[in-house]
Amino acid sequence: MADTLLNRVPEDKMAPPLRASREAALRLSGDATIIEVFANSKAASTLLFEDFYQKVFFGGEVDRRYKELLRLRLSKLHGCFFCNRNNEAGALEVGFTPAQVDAIGGDAVAEFTPAENAVLALANELALTNMGGTLDADLYAQLSACFTDGQIIELGTVGGVLGGMNKLSFVFNLVEREPYCPFHRAA
């Protein structure tokens, strides 16, 4: 369980949607610190769990399958234990195979469609570990063969928000880090 300095809101003091998110997080990862801490702020929890997740991640113009792929690739690159458990379940839920899920995080080989490969390439550019990430002409061509500019912006927004949430989660110590996580606490 994450060892944050921020207060955790008890389940009985949470709004019903956050309670449901908390229970789902506990089932998948055994830890709901991030939800318990976000429950301290109605505005921040509404922005993240209702506005971002419900309207953009689970809504929007881009099929959820691509957003799940993007989300899992970013969490695997960033090394967030909580995110990986939740995102692996999300990827399986939208139809990725266990072999594909394994390949998203490492050196395993799996087949992906051209659109999926474009999303994986975008995730690599958006990753916090890629300080020089860019949408160059080749990546734009790869993405635009499968997605409209509006959909590319939506994918980029999803990746940007998730990357920022990863950074916040590491700084505030809201999540456990995988052993390979490149972001270690300062000594």
Side-chain angles (χ1 to χ4, degrees), residues 71-141:
R71 179 169 78 159
L72 180 56
R73 179 64 179 155
L74 287 172
S75 70
K76 291 291 188 176
L77 290 169
H78 296 152
C80 172
F81 175 83
F82 173 85
C83 303
N84 285 340
R85 296 299 85 68
N86 285 283
N87 301 346
E88 288 165 356
L92 292 169
E93 186 177 301
V94 297
F96 286 102
T97 66
Q100 287 173 312
V101 168
D102 289 345
I104 291 165
D107 298 327
V109 176
E111 293 293 321
F112 292 100
T113 67
E116 292 164 353
N117 281 317
V119 169
L120 290 168
L122 177 61
N124 291 340
E125 294 303 315
L126 291 169
L128 294 173
T129 53
N130 184 356
M131 297 304 289
T134 188
L135 176 64
D136 62 18
D138 290 339
L139 178 55
Y140 177 70

Side-chain angles (χ1 to χ4, degrees), residues 12-165:
D12 64 336
K13 304 285 188 209
M14 288 182 189
L18 286 179
R19 285 184 198 157
S21 294
R22 180 183 178 277
E23 289 306 312
L26 287 172
R27 276 194 308 278
L28 288 171
S29 69
D31 187 12
T33 301
I34 191 169
I35 294 155
E36 294 165 351
V37 169
F38 262 83
N40 282 295
S41 171
K42 182 172 177 26
S45 64
T46 297
L47 176 69
L48 182 61
F49 297 109
E50 293 176 32
D51 295 336
F52 172 69
Y53 272 107
Q54 294 307 313
K55 293 179 183 175
V56 179
F57 190 86
F58 294 114
E61 296 179 29
V62 177
D63 188 284
R64 179 178 157 208
R65 179 178 176 86
Y66 300 113
K67 295 177 208 175
E68 292 287 357
L69 179 64
L70 177 71
R71 179 169 78 159
L72 180 56
R73 179 64 179 155
L74 287 172
S75 70
K76 291 291 188 176
L77 290 169
H78 296 152
C80 172
F81 175 83
F82 173 85
C83 303
N84 285 340
R85 296 299 85 68
N86 285 283
N87 301 346
E88 288 165 356
L92 292 169
E93 186 177 301
V94 297
F96 286 102
T97 66
Q100 287 173 312
V101 168
D102 289 345
I104 291 165
D107 298 327
V109 176
E111 293 293 321
F112 292 100
T113 67
E116 292 164 353
N117 281 317
V119 169
L120 290 168
L122 177 61
N124 291 340
E125 294 303 315
L126 291 169
L128 294 173
T129 53
N130 184 356
M131 297 304 289
T134 188
L135 176 64
D136 62 18
D138 290 339
L139 178 55
Y140 177 70
Q142 190 180 1
L143 287 162
S144 64
C146 308
F147 302 101
T148 67
D149 280 7
Q151 291 172 320
I152 294 168
I153 278 292
E154 185 175 317
L155 285 165
T157 299
V158 166
V161 168
L162 294 173
M165 283 303 304

